[in-house]
């Protein structure tokens, strides 16, 4: 009896500790995510105290709204297919081939993913827009076509496929495919029948994440789509900030919420399948020097793709920012004479950095507690639902969250509209999922028996975390903080609503400059985008040095 009590007591303490760890994240998401979203949906669908659900069908009956829904889905599907087509060869190269400069190239490939969408849109505007590189060389403009959006989405999501699929591909035992070839199968047949089925869950997970990011695309479409192309996210912004039709915006928010929930549920299923269905080997022993003309040609093709698709837009962005003599566009950032801001645009750098630091602290605290609560794999449905809740900010309209902040957090005891903390809170919502996904694999790798032994010896949950978990996850915690910082730095959808005119962030400043005519405004936008790109790239290079194979794919 005493032995059974000894075994059960730590388990009960562990469940109580998990609920305690979940308390603050649940409260945070309840107050700063669920409440603002519910507020704006209620404001749109509740009229004179009565619900008007018939408004949903009225909105869906509008031809322009149906066109937005169709374009949102169509461009996301095509963007996903193009990204897989372009990035899968890169996943193979990084997984199976070993060559000089591989780690540096891996960091270069990941840079676009952590760049703010405003920078991505600006970079492609400098490449394919009016007066861009293609326009100057061949008189070709793509900014008025859907191709600019599709290419920008491939640019942005290339690393998602390379990291997600390549990470698993590197751990697949190559001897299984070699055995199939010894039995008479061709190289392609062995890959199709042995490797491809094993990669299926990873490919599906990557495809779903790319689809999610492109389905909810805002900054890229806002800059490159102009008045011609509009996704759900852009239409929600237009209905909210330009037309002031909250009812239509609420309906579109509900539609996007349902779609994102389905995508995340499917993604969670594919991830669980990926985690339990394969036997993996050490990734360090599977990569070899390229052999034969085919592998060298593939490596050359991937390098060319990286240069043309990833580096060229960024290079053109930097070049455009230097068009004015004596760094004229950069020097203009110190003056407010243009009338676009109440303060010089250069102040946006300090604002963004201070906001990002505060948002990172919040995201690491909330995400760290949430990851600790999700550590055990035998969690019940409530905890698994909590895991799904943490991912929702990646897919739910950031525009809705930002505008919801203005509506919901405007009276005591949560009157925060005039407070500087509003921006970091919104940015932290986006950073928390990255913290959780980075720390969770490492926390789950810690032997649970170590925690139980410490608890049996009388250690409190806090001491168990400090003595057992923290030493093992310290590097993962730093990586998580770095990603939260980079993501917070580039958040645009919610910040565009709540950033005060005298305290703009870098993405908001870039968008405002691009929204005004004039060569000086355009050049300053390029200069600010370059600064933002450099800050994000430096943060990523630091992350790459800290990254270990146990800190997750991103």
């Amino acid at each position: 009896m005493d032995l059974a009590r000894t075994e059960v007591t730590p388990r009960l303490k562990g469940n109580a500790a998990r609920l305690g760890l979940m308390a603050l994240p649940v409260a945070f998401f309840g107050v700063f995510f669920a409440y603002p979203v519910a507020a704006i949906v209620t404001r749109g669908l509740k009229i004179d105290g009565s619900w008007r659900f018939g408004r949903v069908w009225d909105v869906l009956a509008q031809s322009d709204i149906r066109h937005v829904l169709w374009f949102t889905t169509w461009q996301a599907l095509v963007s996903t297919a193009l990204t897989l087509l372009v990035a899968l060869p890169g996943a193979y190269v990084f997984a199976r081939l070993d060559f000089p400069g591989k780690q540096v190239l891996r960091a270069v490939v990941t840079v676009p993913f952590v760049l703010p969408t405003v920078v991505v849109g600006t970079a492609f505007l400098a490449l394919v827009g009016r007066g861009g590189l293609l326009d100057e060389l061949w008189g070709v403009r793509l900014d008025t076509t859907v191709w600019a959006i599709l290419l920008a989405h491939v640019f942005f999501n290339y690393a998602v496929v390379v990291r997600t699929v390549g990470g698993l591909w590197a751990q697949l035992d190559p001897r299984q495919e070699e055995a199939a070839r010894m039995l008479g199968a061709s190289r392609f047949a062995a890959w199709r029948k042995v490797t491809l089925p094993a990669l299926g869950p990873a490919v599906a997970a990557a495809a779903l994440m790319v689809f999610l990011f492109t389905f909810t695309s805002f900054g890229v479409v806002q800059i490159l789509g102009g008045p011609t192309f509009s996704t759900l996210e852009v239409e929600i912004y237009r209905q909210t900030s330009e037309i002031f039709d909250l009812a239509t915006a609420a309906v579109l928010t509900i539609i996007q919420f349902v779609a994102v929930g389905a995508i995340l549920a499917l993604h969670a299923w594919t991830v669980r399948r990926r985690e339990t269905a394969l036997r993996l080997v050490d990734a360090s022993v599977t990569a070899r020097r390229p052999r034969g003309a085919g592998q060298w040609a593939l490596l050359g093709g991937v390098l060319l793709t990286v240069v043309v698709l990833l580096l060229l837009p960024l290079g053109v962005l930097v070049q455009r920012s230097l068009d004015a003599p004596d760094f004229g566009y950069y020097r203009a950032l110190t003056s407010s004479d243009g009338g676009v801001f109440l303060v010089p645009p250069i102040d946006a750098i300090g604002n963004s950095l201070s906001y990002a630091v505060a948002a990172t602290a919040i995201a690491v605290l909330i995400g760290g507690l949430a990851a600790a609560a999700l550590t055990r794999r035998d969690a019940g449905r409530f905890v698994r639902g909590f895991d799904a809740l943490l991912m929702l900010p990646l897919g739910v309209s950031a525009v809705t969250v930002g505008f919801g902040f203005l509506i919901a957090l405007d009276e005591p005891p949560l009157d925060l509209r005039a407070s500087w903390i509003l921006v970091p809170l919104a940015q932290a919502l986006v950073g928390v999922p990255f913290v959780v996904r980075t720390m969770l694999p490492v926390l789950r790798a810690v032997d649970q028996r170590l925690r139980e032994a410490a608890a049996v010896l009388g250690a409190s949950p806090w001491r168990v975390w400090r003595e057992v978990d923290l030493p093992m996850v310290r590097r993962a915690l730093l990586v998580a903080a770095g990603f939260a910082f980079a993501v917070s730095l580039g958040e645009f959808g919610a910040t565009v609503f709540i950033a005060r005119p005298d305290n703009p962030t870098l993405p908001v400043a870039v968008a405002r400059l691009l929204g005004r005519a004039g060569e000086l405004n355009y050049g300053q936008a390029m200069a600010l985008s370059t600064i933002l790109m450099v800050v994000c790239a430096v943060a990523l290079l630091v992350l790459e040095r800290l990254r270990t194979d146990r800190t997750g794919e991103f």
Side-chain angles (χ1 to χ4, degrees), residues 173-189:
D173 193 343
R175 292 174 295 184
Q176 297 177 354
E177 191 172 319
E178 293 170 358
R181 295 200 62 196
M182 291 180 63
L183 295 174
S186 65
R187 183 183 297 274
F188 177 74

Side-chain angles (χ1 to χ4, degrees), residues 37-351:
V37 172
I40 194 171
V41 171
T42 301
R43 183 71 64 91
L45 294 182
K46 200 170 185 180
I47 303 175
D48 297 329
S50 301
W51 291 95
R52 296 290 189 267
F53 292 107
R55 179 63 176 161
V56 175
W57 307 114
D58 294 338
V59 171
L60 292 176
Q62 299 175 26
S63 59
D64 56 336
I65 297 298
R66 291 200 303 271
H67 176 74
V68 168
L69 292 172
W70 164 246
F71 176 74
T72 301
T73 306
W74 175 86
Q75 64 83 25
L77 288 172
V78 176
S79 296
T80 302
L82 284 176
T83 303
L84 290 175
L85 180 65
V86 174
L88 281 177
Y92 172 82
V93 165
F94 282 102
R96 292 299 198 213
L97 301 184
D98 188 22
F99 51 92
K102 181 177 178 179
Q103 294 304 319
V104 175
L105 188 64
R106 186 194 300 272
V108 169
V109 164
T110 313
V111 165
F113 180 74
V114 300
L115 286 180
T117 55
V118 170
V119 173
V120 175
T122 307
F124 273 82
L125 195 65
L127 179 65
V128 304
R130 181 176 60 85
L133 181 64
L134 295 185
D135 191 15
E136 289 183 354
L137 293 179
W138 299 295
V140 176
R141 287 181 57 188
L142 298 178
D143 59 323
T144 57
T145 71
V146 73
W147 280 105
I149 297 173
L150 298 178
L151 290 174
H153 283 163
V154 175
F155 168 93
F156 187 75
N157 293 291
Y158 185 89
V160 175
V161 177
V162 168
R163 291 283 185 137
T164 304
V165 180
L168 178 62
W169 207 335
Q171 295 179 276
L172 293 181
D173 193 343
R175 292 174 295 184
Q176 297 177 354
E177 191 172 319
E178 293 170 358
R181 295 200 62 196
M182 291 180 63
L183 295 174
S186 65
R187 183 183 297 274
F188 177 74
W191 178 82
R192 180 172 57 84
K193 294 182 179 180
V194 177
T195 303
L196 183 59
L199 288 176
V203 174
L208 285 169
M209 289 307 295
V210 173
F211 183 85
L212 175 63
F213 291 142
T214 53
F215 186 84
T216 58
S217 182
F218 177 59
V220 168
V221 180
Q222 177 79 349
I223 291 175
L224 297 176
T228 307
F229 303 106
S230 179
T231 57
L232 264 175
E233 188 85 351
V234 174
E235 187 64 21
I236 291 172
Y237 174 77
R238 191 175 74 90
Q239 294 288 341
T240 303
S241 63
E242 297 178 9
I243 304 178
F244 304 106
D245 187 350
L246 289 186
T248 299
V251 171
L252 297 180
T253 297
I254 293 172
I255 294 171
Q256 183 166 308
F257 188 84
V258 172
V260 167
I263 295 169
L264 290 177
L266 189 57
H267 179 265
W269 178 80
T270 59
V271 169
R272 285 197 299 270
R273 180 184 170 196
R274 172 185 167 188
E275 289 179 346
T276 58
L278 300 173
R279 178 174 295 177
L280 307 178
V281 298
D282 187 356
S284 63
V285 302
T286 61
R288 301 175 179 176
R289 299 280 293 181
R291 293 179 296 180
Q295 289 191 346
W296 280 107
L298 182 60
L299 176 58
V302 169
L303 292 176
L304 182 63
T305 299
V306 171
V307 170
V308 174
L309 180 65
L310 305 186
L311 296 183
L312 182 60
L314 300 181
V316 173
L317 174 64
V318 175
Q319 185 268 324
R320 286 289 184 268
S321 73
L322 297 172
D323 272 352
D326 299 324
F327 301 96
Y329 293 143
Y330 288 91
R331 292 196 304 167
L333 296 177
T334 62
S335 171
S336 58
D337 293 340
V340 183
F341 306 102
L342 299 179
V343 295
I346 196 73
D347 287 3
I349 300 174
N351 296 334

Side-chain angles (χ1 to χ4, degrees), residues 359-403:
T360 299
I362 297 170
V364 169
L365 173 62
I366 300 298
L369 291 174
L374 294 168
T375 297
R376 292 178 61 94
R377 293 180 181 273
D378 59 347
R381 291 183 179 179
F382 176 73
V383 177
R384 289 198 295 271
F386 173 62
D387 190 11
L389 170 67
L390 297 174
M391 294 295 290
L392 282 178
L394 292 181
V396 173
S397 169
V399 169
T400 300
V401 174
F403 197 70

